[in-house]
Amino acid sequence: MSTKRKISALFAFILSSSVVQTSFATGVETLPTRTSPVPATTNSVPHVQLGGESNPALLKDLMARASRIPGVDIRETVISMSGTKGFWIEEHVSLANPQSIVGGREFAHMHPDGSLHASLSPDLAVKAVNAGWATPHPWSKKRLGWEGFVMIYTPTTDSEVDTVYQLILASFDFVTGQKLSSLQ
């Protein structure tokens, strides 16, 4: 390859890299398709994931990330089974969609197996279901405001933890009207 071609190729690479960085810098990502098998869930309440493997280190990482969301406290849930951790919006944080909260100020919770229930925007909930990340809660069509209430499956890889964390942030964003998630 001639020097001129090498320089042209290098310039094209640098230019394309800066375009990628620019679009990444906007903070907007599309929801990737989940590649792990989609686990079964019950069709009733309690709504639980059936099977699927959880990795304690991954769940600890996800919980640590959730605990650092500004305006969120991790508490025992008031709406789910024993051992479930509720993600509570602190009192000083305004709510844009309080009708989507199932109980108290708990906008999401994580079960001991790592599966979560969260209130997403209805549009994002459809995307999460179609991409294999979630399934609608059995009560999601029974109460106004719960159209985006989903179970998010247990993350099984580091990259799945990243996506599930973005879904938790998106839930917080939907309920509060803030913009912490990079998902569109």
Side-chain angles (χ1 to χ4, degrees):
M1 182 183 274
S2 73
T3 304
K4 187 175 182 180
R5 282 189 134 170
K6 287 180 184 177
I7 292 171
S8 292
L10 180 60
F11 180 72
F13 173 75
I14 291 169
L15 183 60
S16 67
S17 295
S18 66
V19 169
V20 169
Q21 289 174 348
T22 301
S23 59
F24 182 76
T26 63
V28 175
E29 300 174 32
T30 56
L31 188 62
T33 300
R34 180 181 162 110
T35 57
S36 296
V38 172
T41 66
T42 59
N43 291 322
S44 59
V45 175
H47 187 219
V48 296
Q49 179 176 303
L50 305 171
E53 296 187 28
S54 62
N55 176 321
L58 294 176
L59 303 185
K60 183 177 179 182
D61 177 34
L62 182 58
M63 187 60 72
R65 291 184 197 192
S67 72
R68 291 189 297 267
I69 300 171
V72 173
D73 285 329
I74 306 298
R75 305 180 185 179
E76 292 300 318
T77 186
V78 296
I79 57 173
S80 190
M81 65 186 105
S82 177
T84 298
K85 298 298 183 189
F87 302 170
W88 280 72
I89 299 169
E90 295 173 350
E91 292 295 325
H92 66 87
V93 178
S94 297
L95 302 178
N97 288 296
Q99 74 283 358
S100 65
I101 295 178
V102 178
R105 291 176 71 91
E106 185 175 316
F107 71 97
H109 57 255
M110 188 164 91
H111 304 125
D113 68 358
S115 63
L116 300 100
H117 280 114
S119 299
L120 300 174
S121 72
D123 290 342
L124 183 56
V126 168
K127 290 177 185 178
V129 169
N130 290 340
W133 292 101
T135 189
H137 189 280
W139 290 351
S140 64
K141 295 190 183 344
K142 297 183 185 241
R143 181 173 156 190
L144 188 62
W146 286 12
E147 297 85 359
F149 191 45
V150 296
M151 172 181 278
I152 301 169
Y153 304 121
T154 302
T156 60
T157 66
D158 288 326
S159 64
E160 287 185 7
V161 169
D162 292 340
T163 300
V164 170
Y165 177 64
Q166 288 301 316
L167 289 167
I168 293 168
L169 290 175
S171 176
F172 178 80
D173 290 349
F174 175 64
V175 173
T176 65
Q178 295 188 32
K179 187 63 180 141
L180 299 179
S181 173
S182 63
L183 295 175
Q184 61 177 2

